[in-house]
Amino acid sequence: MPLIGWAREFTEAVGLMSYGVNVVDLFRRAPGYVDRILKGARPGELPVEQATRFDLVLNLNIHAPVPVT
């Protein structure tokens, strides 16, 4: 049964495809928040940022054809 997930690692292991946020990009942006908090900003006043980078990963190593109905 073809499986679709949200994480790149899932598709690299066993899935057919995944679509979700780029986790590495989220981790790269996190230190900016930590820096602002350590400089005195109140966490409740920091803006909530939406993810801006997404990954679509297809596993081309699936040997059985996937029927589309």
Side-chain angles (χ1 to χ4, degrees):
M1 171 180 278
L3 300 172
I4 299 174
W6 65 272
R8 168 185 287 276
E9 295 77 19
F10 169 79
T11 303
E12 291 172 351
V14 296
L16 172 66
M17 69 176 282
S18 66
Y19 181 72
V21 298
N22 183 314
V23 178
V24 174
D25 184 52
L26 293 178
F27 286 139
R28 285 185 182 144
R29 292 173 27 193
Y33 273 86
V34 173
D35 182 51
R36 287 190 242 170
I37 292 170
L38 292 176
K39 288 182 179 177
R42 294 180 50 188
E45 295 175 355
L46 292 177
V48 176
E49 294 184 12
Q50 297 289 326
T52 57
R53 297 186 74 188
F54 294 85
D55 290 332
L56 172 64
V57 181
L58 302 172
N59 185 350
L60 300 177
N61 293 326
I62 303 245
H63 297 289
V66 178
V68 177
T69 56

